[in-house]
Amino acid sequence: MNTFTMLRAFCDAVEQRNGKAFSELFTEDGIYHDVFYGAFEGREKIAGLIDDWFYRTATDFRWDMHDPVSDGEMLYARYTFSYRSTLPEAQGARAMFEGVAIMRLRDGKIMEYHEVANTAPAFVDLKFAPERIVKIVAKQGAALKARPEMKRHLV
């Protein structure tokens, strides 16, 4: 599967709440490191991330990948991601953020997915209190810094 086809299938599976199709893009031992929810290892847990976690407090997902670059072993793509929140304080607001997807590939499948994202604007869209945003962003930053494999991707 070429890069563009894989990325479209990746985004479509999320938008269609199809965890099975999403997880099949990964190796059996694949790991998805989500900027909000942490690590999900193996196809069953990765499928659950989409079917259960993503849709627990959101709906109407839209995910687009832009300007992918790959050497067959690594794949980088800038992305835009949005959803409609079902959290009471969000009052149905649409949250949007941008990020970079970083994927290690093996035999044409995703072995490991990481992302670096600017999530703060989404929390403002969701009408989170400023002190709550500061806590969330600080926690995400600390978690990212604690992952030594990500240091080469941080500027």
Side-chain angles (χ1 to χ4, degrees), residues 32-39 76 79 98-102 112-119 135-155:
Y32 184 106
H33 295 275
D34 185 75
V35 71
F36 292 115
Y37 301 120
Y76 298 88
Y79 69 77
E98 296 178 294
V100 175
I102 304 161
E112 197 166 3
Y113 174 93
H114 295 275
E115 57 191 349
V116 178
N118 182 5
T119 58
K135 275 184 171 177
I136 293 168
V137 172
K139 183 178 175 184
Q140 289 174 341
L144 187 60
K145 286 180 184 176
R147 292 185 6 219
E149 74 275 10
M150 292 302 293
K151 287 188 180 172
R152 70 176 182 266
H153 302 293
L154 300 174
V155 177

Short mmCIF file of all heavy atoms in Angstrom, two decimals, residues 32-39 76 79 98-102 112-119 135-155:
data_model
loop_
_atom_site.label_atom_id
_atom_site.label_comp_id
_atom_site.label_asym_id
_atom_site.label_seq_id
_atom_site.Cartn_x
_atom_site.Cartn_y
_atom_site.Cartn_z
N TYR A 32 0.41 2.48 19.31
CA TYR A 32 -0.09 3.82 19.00
C TYR A 32 0.07 4.65 20.27
O TYR A 32 -0.55 4.35 21.29
CB TYR A 32 -1.56 3.75 18.59
CG TYR A 32 -2.14 5.08 18.14
CD1 TYR A 32 -2.38 5.33 16.80
CD2 TYR A 32 -2.45 6.08 19.06
CE1 TYR A 32 -2.92 6.53 16.39
CE2 TYR A 32 -2.97 7.30 18.65
CZ TYR A 32 -3.21 7.52 17.32
OH TYR A 32 -3.74 8.71 16.90
N HIS A 33 0.89 5.69 20.21
CA HIS A 33 1.08 6.61 21.34
C HIS A 33 0.19 7.83 21.09
O HIS A 33 0.51 8.67 20.24
CB HIS A 33 2.54 7.04 21.45
CG HIS A 33 3.48 5.94 21.77
ND1 HIS A 33 3.73 5.53 23.06
CD2 HIS A 33 4.23 5.13 20.98
CE1 HIS A 33 4.59 4.52 23.05
NE2 HIS A 33 4.91 4.27 21.79
N ASP A 34 -0.90 7.91 21.80
CA ASP A 34 -1.85 9.01 21.62
C ASP A 34 -1.48 10.18 22.52
O ASP A 34 -1.15 9.99 23.70
CB ASP A 34 -3.27 8.53 21.95
CG ASP A 34 -4.30 9.59 21.66
OD1 ASP A 34 -4.60 9.81 20.47
OD2 ASP A 34 -4.79 10.23 22.62
N VAL A 35 -1.56 11.38 21.98
CA VAL A 35 -1.18 12.58 22.72
C VAL A 35 -2.06 12.79 23.95
O VAL A 35 -1.62 13.34 24.94
CB VAL A 35 -1.16 13.82 21.78
CG1 VAL A 35 -2.56 14.24 21.39
CG2 VAL A 35 -0.40 14.97 22.41
N PHE A 36 -3.31 12.31 23.92
CA PHE A 36 -4.21 12.46 25.06
C PHE A 36 -4.24 11.24 25.97
O PHE A 36 -4.20 11.35 27.18
CB PHE A 36 -5.65 12.73 24.59
CG PHE A 36 -5.85 14.05 23.92
CD1 PHE A 36 -6.20 14.10 22.59
CD2 PHE A 36 -5.70 15.23 24.61
CE1 PHE A 36 -6.39 15.31 21.96
CE2 PHE A 36 -5.89 16.45 23.99
CZ PHE A 36 -6.24 16.49 22.65
N TYR A 37 -4.34 10.06 25.38
CA TYR A 37 -4.66 8.85 26.14
C TYR A 37 -3.48 7.93 26.43
O TYR A 37 -3.64 6.94 27.14
CB TYR A 37 -5.75 8.05 25.42
CG TYR A 37 -7.02 8.83 25.23
CD1 TYR A 37 -7.53 9.07 23.95
CD2 TYR A 37 -7.73 9.33 26.31
CE1 TYR A 37 -8.70 9.78 23.77
CE2 TYR A 37 -8.90 10.05 26.14
CZ TYR A 37 -9.37 10.28 24.86
OH TYR A 37 -10.54 10.99 24.69
N GLY A 38 -2.33 8.18 25.86
CA GLY A 38 -1.18 7.34 26.13
C GLY A 38 -0.99 6.24 25.10
O GLY A 38 -1.45 6.34 23.96
N ALA A 39 -0.32 5.15 25.52
CA ALA A 39 0.07 4.08 24.60
C ALA A 39 -0.97 2.96 24.56
O ALA A 39 -1.51 2.56 25.59
CB ALA A 39 1.41 3.51 25.01
N TYR A 76 6.58 10.70 8.08
CA TYR A 76 6.19 11.92 8.78
C TYR A 76 5.10 12.60 7.96
O TYR A 76 5.18 12.65 6.74
CB TYR A 76 7.38 12.90 8.88
CG TYR A 76 8.55 12.38 9.66
CD1 TYR A 76 9.56 11.64 9.04
CD2 TYR A 76 8.67 12.64 11.02
CE1 TYR A 76 10.65 11.17 9.75
CE2 TYR A 76 9.75 12.17 11.74
CZ TYR A 76 10.74 11.43 11.09
OH TYR A 76 11.82 10.97 11.80
N TYR A 79 -0.60 17.12 10.19
CA TYR A 79 -2.02 16.82 10.14
C TYR A 79 -2.87 17.91 10.79
O TYR A 79 -2.40 18.71 11.58
CB TYR A 79 -2.35 15.46 10.78
CG TYR A 79 -2.18 15.37 12.28
CD1 TYR A 79 -3.11 15.90 13.15
CD2 TYR A 79 -1.09 14.70 12.83
CE1 TYR A 79 -2.97 15.79 14.52
CE2 TYR A 79 -0.95 14.57 14.19
CZ TYR A 79 -1.89 15.12 15.04
OH TYR A 79 -1.75 15.01 16.40
N GLU A 98 -3.57 21.01 15.31
CA GLU A 98 -2.61 20.58 14.30
C GLU A 98 -1.48 19.81 14.97
O GLU A 98 -1.19 20.05 16.14
CB GLU A 98 -2.01 21.79 13.58
CG GLU A 98 -3.03 22.58 12.80
CD GLU A 98 -2.40 23.78 12.15
OE1 GLU A 98 -1.97 24.69 12.88
OE2 GLU A 98 -2.34 23.79 10.90
N GLY A 99 -0.87 18.93 14.20
CA GLY A 99 0.24 18.18 14.75
C GLY A 99 1.07 17.55 13.66
O GLY A 99 0.86 17.79 12.46
N VAL A 100 2.00 16.73 14.09
CA VAL A 100 2.85 15.96 13.19
C VAL A 100 2.76 14.51 13.62
O VAL A 100 2.94 14.17 14.79
CB VAL A 100 4.32 16.43 13.24
CG1 VAL A 100 5.21 15.55 12.38
CG2 VAL A 100 4.42 17.88 12.80
N ALA A 101 2.45 13.64 12.65
CA ALA A 101 2.43 12.20 12.87
C ALA A 101 3.81 11.65 12.53
O ALA A 101 4.37 11.98 11.49
CB ALA A 101 1.36 11.55 11.99
N ILE A 102 4.32 10.81 13.42
CA ILE A 102 5.64 10.21 13.25
C ILE A 102 5.44 8.70 13.33
O ILE A 102 5.04 8.19 14.39
CB ILE A 102 6.61 10.69 14.35
CG1 ILE A 102 6.68 12.21 14.37
CG2 ILE A 102 7.99 10.05 14.18
CD1 ILE A 102 7.21 12.80 15.66
N GLU A 112 5.00 1.68 14.89
CA GLU A 112 4.90 2.59 16.03
C GLU A 112 4.44 3.96 15.54
O GLU A 112 4.97 4.48 14.56
CB GLU A 112 6.26 2.69 16.71
CG GLU A 112 6.20 3.27 18.08
CD GLU A 112 7.50 3.03 18.85
OE1 GLU A 112 8.46 2.47 18.31
OE2 GLU A 112 7.53 3.47 20.01
N TYR A 113 3.44 4.50 16.21
CA TYR A 113 2.91 5.81 15.89
C TYR A 113 3.12 6.73 17.08
O TYR A 113 2.79 6.38 18.22
CB TYR A 113 1.41 5.72 15.57
CG TYR A 113 0.75 7.06 15.37
CD1 TYR A 113 0.64 7.61 14.10
CD2 TYR A 113 0.25 7.79 16.44
CE1 TYR A 113 0.04 8.85 13.90
CE2 TYR A 113 -0.35 9.03 16.25
CZ TYR A 113 -0.44 9.56 14.99
OH TYR A 113 -1.03 10.79 14.80
N HIS A 114 3.68 7.90 16.81
CA HIS A 114 3.83 8.98 17.81
C HIS A 114 3.27 10.24 17.18
O HIS A 114 3.20 10.36 15.96
CB HIS A 114 5.30 9.23 18.14
CG HIS A 114 6.00 8.11 18.80
ND1 HIS A 114 5.95 7.92 20.15
CD2 HIS A 114 6.75 7.11 18.30
CE1 HIS A 114 6.66 6.84 20.46
NE2 HIS A 114 7.15 6.33 19.34
N GLU A 115 2.94 11.19 18.01
CA GLU A 115 2.52 12.48 17.48
C GLU A 115 2.98 13.60 18.39
O GLU A 115 3.14 13.40 19.60
CB GLU A 115 1.00 12.52 17.30
CG GLU A 115 0.20 12.26 18.55
CD GLU A 115 -1.28 12.06 18.27
OE1 GLU A 115 -1.74 12.30 17.15
OE2 GLU A 115 -1.97 11.64 19.21
N VAL A 116 3.22 14.72 17.78
CA VAL A 116 3.50 15.95 18.50
C VAL A 116 2.42 16.91 18.03
O VAL A 116 2.26 17.12 16.82
CB VAL A 116 4.91 16.49 18.16
CG1 VAL A 116 5.16 17.80 18.88
CG2 VAL A 116 5.98 15.46 18.51
N ALA A 117 1.65 17.44 18.98
CA ALA A 117 0.50 18.26 18.59
C ALA A 117 0.37 19.49 19.47
O ALA A 117 0.69 19.45 20.66
CB ALA A 117 -0.78 17.43 18.67
N ASN A 118 -0.13 20.53 18.88
CA ASN A 118 -0.48 21.74 19.62
C ASN A 118 -1.94 21.59 20.03
O ASN A 118 -2.85 21.91 19.27
CB ASN A 118 -0.28 22.98 18.75
CG ASN A 118 -0.57 24.25 19.52
OD1 ASN A 118 -0.84 24.23 20.71
ND2 ASN A 118 -0.54 25.38 18.81
N THR A 119 -2.16 21.08 21.23
CA THR A 119 -3.52 20.79 21.69
C THR A 119 -4.19 21.97 22.40
O THR A 119 -5.41 21.96 22.55
CB THR A 119 -3.51 19.58 22.65
OG1 THR A 119 -2.64 19.87 23.75
CG2 THR A 119 -3.04 18.33 21.93
N LYS A 135 -2.77 22.88 33.21
CA LYS A 135 -2.47 21.57 33.81
C LYS A 135 -2.34 20.49 32.74
O LYS A 135 -1.41 19.68 32.76
CB LYS A 135 -3.57 21.17 34.78
CG LYS A 135 -3.43 21.71 36.15
CD LYS A 135 -4.54 21.13 37.02
CE LYS A 135 -4.34 21.47 38.46
NZ LYS A 135 -5.43 20.97 39.30
N ILE A 136 -3.27 20.46 31.80
CA ILE A 136 -3.26 19.43 30.76
C ILE A 136 -2.03 19.56 29.88
O ILE A 136 -1.33 18.57 29.61
CB ILE A 136 -4.54 19.50 29.90
CG1 ILE A 136 -5.76 19.11 30.73
CG2 ILE A 136 -4.43 18.61 28.67
CD1 ILE A 136 -7.09 19.43 30.06
N VAL A 137 -1.73 20.76 29.43
CA VAL A 137 -0.58 20.97 28.54
C VAL A 137 0.73 20.67 29.27
O VAL A 137 1.64 20.07 28.70
CB VAL A 137 -0.62 22.40 27.94
CG1 VAL A 137 0.66 22.69 27.16
CG2 VAL A 137 -1.84 22.56 27.04
N ALA A 138 0.83 21.04 30.53
CA ALA A 138 2.05 20.74 31.30
C ALA A 138 2.23 19.23 31.44
O ALA A 138 3.34 18.71 31.30
CB ALA A 138 1.98 21.39 32.68
N LYS A 139 1.15 18.52 31.68
CA LYS A 139 1.20 17.06 31.81
C LYS A 139 1.64 16.43 30.49
O LYS A 139 2.47 15.52 30.47
CB LYS A 139 -0.16 16.53 32.24
CG LYS A 139 -0.19 15.05 32.47
CD LYS A 139 -1.58 14.60 32.93
CE LYS A 139 -1.65 13.10 33.04
NZ LYS A 139 -2.99 12.64 33.40
N GLN A 140 1.10 16.92 29.37
CA GLN A 140 1.48 16.38 28.06
C GLN A 140 2.95 16.66 27.78
O GLN A 140 3.66 15.80 27.26
CB GLN A 140 0.61 16.98 26.96
CG GLN A 140 -0.81 16.49 26.99
CD GLN A 140 -1.68 17.22 25.98
OE1 GLN A 140 -1.36 18.30 25.49
NE2 GLN A 140 -2.81 16.62 25.67
N GLY A 141 3.42 17.86 28.10
CA GLY A 141 4.82 18.21 27.87
C GLY A 141 5.76 17.33 28.69
O GLY A 141 6.77 16.86 28.19
N ALA A 142 5.42 17.09 29.95
CA ALA A 142 6.25 16.25 30.81
C ALA A 142 6.28 14.82 30.28
O ALA A 142 7.34 14.18 30.27
CB ALA A 142 5.72 16.28 32.23
N ALA A 143 5.14 14.32 29.83
CA ALA A 143 5.08 12.95 29.29
C ALA A 143 5.93 12.84 28.03
O ALA A 143 6.63 11.84 27.83
CB ALA A 143 3.64 12.56 29.01
N LEU A 144 5.90 13.85 27.18
CA LEU A 144 6.68 13.82 25.95
C LEU A 144 8.18 13.86 26.26
O LEU A 144 8.96 13.11 25.70
CB LEU A 144 6.28 14.99 25.06
CG LEU A 144 6.86 15.03 23.67
CD1 LEU A 144 6.46 13.79 22.88
CD2 LEU A 144 6.40 16.28 22.95
N LYS A 145 8.57 14.71 27.18
CA LYS A 145 9.98 14.82 27.54
C LYS A 145 10.50 13.54 28.20
O LYS A 145 11.68 13.23 28.10
CB LYS A 145 10.19 16.00 28.49
CG LYS A 145 10.11 17.33 27.81
CD LYS A 145 10.33 18.46 28.79
CE LYS A 145 10.14 19.79 28.12
NZ LYS A 145 10.25 20.89 29.08
N ALA A 146 9.62 12.80 28.84
CA ALA A 146 10.01 11.57 29.52
C ALA A 146 10.26 10.42 28.56
O ALA A 146 10.81 9.39 28.95
CB ALA A 146 8.95 11.17 30.54
N ARG A 147 9.87 10.57 27.31
CA ARG A 147 10.04 9.50 26.32
C ARG A 147 11.33 9.75 25.54
O ARG A 147 11.36 10.58 24.63
CB ARG A 147 8.84 9.44 25.39
CG ARG A 147 7.61 8.99 26.13
CD ARG A 147 6.36 8.77 25.33
NE ARG A 147 6.40 8.87 23.92
CZ ARG A 147 5.43 9.44 23.19
NH1 ARG A 147 4.37 9.94 23.77
NH2 ARG A 147 5.52 9.46 21.89
N PRO A 148 12.40 9.04 25.87
CA PRO A 148 13.70 9.29 25.23
C PRO A 148 13.66 9.11 23.72
O PRO A 148 14.38 9.79 23.00
CB PRO A 148 14.65 8.30 25.88
CG PRO A 148 13.82 7.37 26.67
CD PRO A 148 12.47 7.97 26.85
N GLU A 149 12.83 8.23 23.21
CA GLU A 149 12.78 8.00 21.77
C GLU A 149 12.23 9.20 21.02
O GLU A 149 12.39 9.31 19.80
CB GLU A 149 11.95 6.74 21.44
CG GLU A 149 10.45 6.90 21.59
CD GLU A 149 9.90 6.70 22.99
OE1 GLU A 149 10.69 6.60 23.95
OE2 GLU A 149 8.67 6.65 23.14
N MET A 150 11.57 10.14 21.72
CA MET A 150 11.00 11.32 21.07
C MET A 150 11.96 12.50 21.03
O MET A 150 11.73 13.44 20.31
CB MET A 150 9.71 11.73 21.79
CG MET A 150 8.58 10.73 21.63
SD MET A 150 8.16 10.42 19.90
CE MET A 150 7.49 12.00 19.45
N LYS A 151 13.06 12.45 21.76
CA LYS A 151 13.95 13.60 21.83
C LYS A 151 14.46 14.03 20.49
O LYS A 151 14.61 15.21 20.23
CB LYS A 151 15.09 13.32 22.81
CG LYS A 151 14.61 13.35 24.23
CD LYS A 151 15.71 13.27 25.22
CE LYS A 151 15.05 13.32 26.60
NZ LYS A 151 15.92 13.08 27.64
N ARG A 152 14.69 13.10 19.59
CA ARG A 152 15.22 13.46 18.28
C ARG A 152 14.17 14.19 17.43
O ARG A 152 14.49 14.83 16.45
CB ARG A 152 15.74 12.25 17.55
CG ARG A 152 14.68 11.27 17.10
CD ARG A 152 15.30 10.13 16.28
NE ARG A 152 14.30 9.22 15.82
CZ ARG A 152 13.92 8.12 16.45
NH1 ARG A 152 14.49 7.78 17.57
NH2 ARG A 152 12.99 7.36 15.95
N HIS A 153 12.90 14.10 17.82
CA HIS A 153 11.83 14.75 17.05
C HIS A 153 11.48 16.13 17.60
O HIS A 153 10.76 16.87 16.95
CB HIS A 153 10.56 13.90 17.07
CG HIS A 153 10.78 12.52 16.52
ND1 HIS A 153 11.07 12.29 15.20
CD2 HIS A 153 10.75 11.31 17.12
CE1 HIS A 153 11.20 10.98 15.00
NE2 HIS A 153 11.03 10.37 16.16
N LEU A 154 11.94 16.45 18.79
CA LEU A 154 11.62 17.74 19.42
C LEU A 154 12.61 18.80 18.98
O LEU A 154 13.80 18.55 18.88
CB LEU A 154 11.63 17.61 20.93
CG LEU A 154 10.63 16.60 21.50
CD1 LEU A 154 10.84 16.45 22.99
CD2 LEU A 154 9.21 17.04 21.22
N VAL A 155 12.12 19.98 18.75
CA VAL A 155 12.99 21.09 18.35
C VAL A 155 13.36 21.89 19.56
O VAL A 155 12.63 22.09 20.45
CB VAL A 155 12.27 21.99 17.32
CG1 VAL A 155 13.14 23.16 16.96
CG2 VAL A 155 11.92 21.19 16.09
#
